[in-house]
Structure formats: structure tokens, C-alpha cells
Amino acid sequence: MKQILAEILTIGDEILYGQITDTNSQWISSELDQLGIKVVRKTTVGDTEEAILGAFAEAEARADMVLITGGLGPTNDDLTMPMLAQYFDSEIVMNESVLTHVKHFFESRGRTFTELNKRQALVPKAAEVLHNELGTAPGTWYEKNGKVFVSMPGVPHEMKNLMKTLVLPKLASFFQTPVIYHKLIKTVGIGESFLADKIKDWEESLPEHISLAYLPSVGQVKLRLTAIGDNREHLKKDVQELIDELMPLAGSYIYGYDNTTLEEAVGQLLKAKGKTIALAESCSGGYVQHKITTIAGSSEYFQGGVVPYHNNHKVNLLGVKPATLEVHGAVSEACVKEMAEGARKLFNADIGASSSGIAGPGGGSEEKPVGTVWIAFADGKETITKKLQLTQNRLLNIELTQISVLNLVRKSLSR
């Protein structure tokens, strides 16, 4: 079955200037994906005739459908309608149905209906009008050589309503689309290039109808398997078989799938093992605790935590020995061991985890440069530690530390 391709075109200087954020394109992409339509390009152009007409031609050459948002107001700088009329060699006419709707829209709200408002009802004769029940700017639909152009208002709630009620059903009827099935495999604790090297042979053996993409983010890498066919259940089965083959190669790094977060995965492990946890965080400033408690039901396993930034509190709250701090310092393996064990005892938890480091930008030394972090896991039977050498960026170091602490807990529980 032929893959149907789409391009999303947003029109407006305000987007290029950064005065508003284009959230429409992301939403439209997600909706098209569910129809089995692949978005190949997202383009934003300003309010000039040359840019808009050029974007129309380029999009038509690339895609089977072009979905346009913005530029539908009644003022002279709103050029989408006249440019569509020019592109489709069509005169602009007053649409009586739109005119009636716009007039009622204003008068029913006690607002004056002006000559400027009347211009909203001017649409290309070649267009099929798509009624916008939530606003005054109509949507329009054009067909040319088996391809479709759709113009919609840029106001998000108006566009979404138009898409759901009219555009998506019409696209599904007009095009025969394949099924697209995505599966996200989430990994942590391994870099993109190292992961790619580990699964190279597996990746090269993927069947023709399934593709792989690497989606790296801070401290994590997502693998996206995309299967294209005509039967969703068959595609799901094919993808699951591939995941089963992947597990011996990279299973120790895989913590979840699709929308599962690392903190959610750790919470599920703690519940499954019947374990509770407490935290002692210095350099991460309570961020691990924050992430854990974003999960509903975390009170089942999270006992509590402290942020002993000052060394006195490491001693008084957690029982860190003064000699440990004097000999090894707060940023040391010895200190995080005692912090983790101290947190476990303080909150009567099964597990204690800790962090201590130099987040930056200052405070580093030749022996312990900025980005030096120690983390620990203690369960009363053993204490596991890890040294991290992170970046010069304070916020990034805090983020990477919380990921590393959660991953240390995950790995320790999974053994």
C-alpha cells in the first residue's frame, strides 16, 4: 500500500519572530500519524506573497496533502485566502453561508458586525468551505491532481475542532492509508553510539516494513520502532518479536516502553519487590524526591528524604562521621555510603539512596572538578556506589544526577 505523505505549513510573521509558539504542527502530526499518514516536512513562512506561494509549490511537490494554518484574518496582512485563490487560479467570491455564520457570530455576542468582519466570508470559488463553528475564519478544502490542500485557522481550539469534526474524516475517506504502529523502547545508562554498536546486527536484520530511529535525550536514549502495514495486530506481533530478540542484547538498559518514565519504572519495581526507599540528596537538592513523588501512589514506597546541604546536617541527621568529612570530604565515596545508610535508618526504609557532588559553576578543584558527583544505594546488606564525572552546567548536572540515582536503584533492584 502506498505511503501517504503530508506537509504542514504554518503562516505568520509572529511565529518567525518567536512571539507565539507553534503548537498546532505537533498536534496535527500526532493526529495524522494515527491515520497512517506520514508527515515529511513542517514549514513556517512569513506574511509575504512570494514566501507563501513558494511554500505552496514546494509542499505540493513533496507531499500528497498540505495542511495550512494561520493567515485567515480579515486584515490586509492575512494573505492565506488570496494566495490560495491565486495558486488555484480561482476568483474570490462572497460565500453566503459563511457570511450568515459570521454575522450571527458577532450579533449573538452583542458585538457590532462591520465591513471588515464581512471580509471573512470571502473565499476562493474553487474551495469547498469547511464550517468553523467556533470562530469566524472558515476552513477550506482544495483538490488538484489527486492531491489535497486544507486551510484552517491558526487559533488552536478552532483548528482542532475543525480537524476532528471535518478534516480528518475527509482525509480518511479521500486517501487509502496504511497502518502505522510505533513502539518506544526506553533505555538509560548507555550512550547513543554505544547502544548502536551493541545492537548493530539486530538493527541490520530488521524486516523491510519496520524501521528504527534513535531519539536521545538528557541521560537517556529512546528507540522507536515504526512498523507500516495493513493490519495493526500483525504489526504489534512483529514488533514484539523484535523486542524479544533485543532483550538479550540491551535488556539491562531497558527500563520501560512508550509513556513510562524512569521514576514510574522505579516505583513499579519497588512495589513489585515490596520495598520502601528514603533519600539523602546534597547536590541534587531534592530533585530525585520530587521526581519520585510525581507518581500517583508513591506513598506506598517512598518514606521521605532530606537535603543536607550543610555538612552539619550530614552529621546530625544522617550520622555521617566527622572524620569521614575531614579525611575524604563531602564529595566522596565514603560520605555517600554513610548518607545512604543514614537515610535508610532515619526513615526506617528498606533502601537508602544518596548523592553528593559539585554541581557548579564554582566550587571545583583540581582533584574534584565541577561535575564530580558520587551516588550510593544501600539496602542493609550491601552498599553500592558510583562516581559520575558530569558537565560544567549546574542544571544539567542536577538532572543527570537524579537520572543516575534512579538508575542505580533500578539496576540494584533488578539484580
Side-chain angles (χ1 to χ4, degrees):
M1 187 180 295
K2 178 183 180 294
Q3 175 72 71
I4 305 301
L5 307 179
E7 177 155 342
I8 300 170
L9 175 60
T10 54
I11 297 176
D13 286 338
E14 65 275 14
I15 300 173
L16 294 176
Y17 294 153
Q19 294 168 340
I20 67 169
T21 301
D22 171 30
T23 59
N24 287 343
S25 294
Q26 181 181 10
W27 186 88
I28 293 171
S29 294
S30 177
E31 294 297 310
L32 293 178
D33 183 69
Q34 293 180 48
L35 278 185
I37 297 168
K38 181 178 181 180
V39 176
V40 293
R41 187 74 64 94
K42 297 178 183 179
T43 304
T44 301
V45 296
D47 298 308
T48 68
E49 295 187 13
E50 182 181 6
I52 294 171
L53 290 174
F56 286 170
E58 291 171 14
E60 183 184 353
R62 277 189 291 262
D64 301 294
M65 67 181 72
V66 184
L67 302 185
I68 306 159
T69 63
L72 296 183
T75 56
N76 291 331
D77 62 330
D78 292 302
L79 300 175
T80 301
M81 281 296 192
M83 292 303 96
L84 282 166
Q86 184 174 331
Y87 192 75
F88 288 98
D89 193 24
S90 172
E91 63 177 312
I92 294 181
V93 297
M94 183 67 67
N95 185 285
E96 293 301 325
S97 175
V98 176
L99 181 63
T100 300
H101 166 70
V102 175
K103 186 176 182 181
H104 175 73
F105 186 92
F106 280 91
E107 292 178 348
S108 65
R109 290 163 173 76
R111 295 159 60 185
T112 303
F113 178 66
T114 68
E115 283 297 313
L116 187 62
N117 302 139
K118 189 176 180 180
R119 293 175 61 177
Q120 292 274 228
L122 292 171
V123 299
K125 191 174 182 180
E128 176 185 345
V129 172
L130 305 175
H131 177 60
N132 176 12
E133 60 185 10
L134 301 183
T136 59
T140 51
W141 173 287
Y142 309 81
E143 296 176 16
K144 178 183 178 183
N145 300 325
K147 298 193 174 187
V148 168
F149 276 63
V150 182
S151 174
M152 296 172 289
V155 180
H157 76 275
E158 295 181 27
M159 178 277 296
K160 290 177 181 179
N161 184 68
L162 203 60
M163 279 283 289
K164 289 177 179 177
T165 58
L166 295 175
V167 177
L168 291 171
K170 283 178 69 67
L171 291 174
S173 176
F174 189 90
F175 293 100
Q176 186 178 5
T177 60
V179 174
I180 299 178
Y181 173 68
H182 298 293
K183 188 71 175 179
L184 286 178
I185 305 165
K186 296 190 168 182
T187 73
V188 65
I190 186 170
E192 180 183 10
S193 60
F194 293 100
L195 180 59
D197 188 57
K198 269 187 169 295
I199 65 174
K200 180 182 177 183
D201 292 340
W202 174 84
E203 180 180 356
E204 290 177 351
S205 68
L206 292 176
E208 189 175 336
H209 68 295
I210 299 179
S211 62
L212 174 69
Y214 292 83
L215 308 174
S217 58
V218 175
Q220 304 185 44
V221 180
K222 288 178 284 192
L223 300 174
R224 187 190 67 216
L225 286 171
T226 299
I228 300 175
D230 54 16
N231 185 297
R232 181 171 294 274
E233 292 309 311
H234 290 171
L235 295 178
K236 284 184 176 181
K237 181 175 179 292
D238 292 345
V239 167
Q240 187 56 55
E241 288 175 356
L242 288 171
I243 292 174
D244 293 342
E245 294 174 9
L246 177 65
M247 290 303 292
L249 304 173
S252 62
Y253 303 102
I254 296 172
Y255 70 82
Y257 303 91
D258 298 325
N259 296 321
T260 301
T261 62
L262 180 56
E263 53 270 22
E264 186 177 6
V266 170
Q268 290 169 354
L269 266 175
L270 286 165
K271 285 198 290 186
K273 299 278 186 177
K275 301 292 186 181
T276 57
I277 190 170
L279 273 296
E281 299 178 69
S282 186
C283 68
S284 50
Y287 195 41
V288 183
Q289 298 167 60
H290 163 70
K291 297 297 279 188
I292 287 175
T293 55
T294 60
I295 304 304
S298 55
S299 58
E300 291 183 43
Y301 48 84
F302 180 61
Q303 295 292 84
V306 292
V307 183
Y309 234 55
H310 196 284
N311 285 347
N312 286 346
H313 303 306
K314 293 180 177 70
V315 174
N316 297 330
L317 290 174
L318 299 173
V320 174
K321 299 180 181 66
T324 298
L325 296 171
E326 184 178 343
V327 175
H328 302 284
V331 182
S332 66
E333 181 178 30
C335 182
V336 292
K337 278 184 175 182
E338 294 179 15
M339 287 174 65
E341 187 58 33
R344 190 182 73 82
K345 292 176 180 176
L346 178 64
F347 290 96
N348 193 29
D350 298 307
I351 294 164
S354 63
S355 70
S356 185
I358 304 166
S365 66
E366 186 174 343
E367 181 186 359
K368 298 176 182 179
V370 169
T372 302
V373 176
W374 278 95
I375 61 175
F377 166 97
D379 63 3
K381 299 175 183 177
E382 62 177 338
T383 301
I384 303 168
T385 61
K386 185 174 183 179
K387 183 181 182 182
L388 311 173
Q389 201 62 59
L390 304 178
T391 74
Q392 298 293 305
N393 184 294
R394 182 179 183 83
L395 295 181
L396 182 57
N397 288 341
I398 292 171
E399 175 75 12
L400 289 169
T401 298
Q402 71 87 10
I403 290 171
S404 298
V405 170
L406 287 173
N407 192 41
L408 180 60
V409 174
R410 180 190 71 86
K411 288 173 65 177
S412 300
L413 286 170
S414 299
R415 290 182 305 157

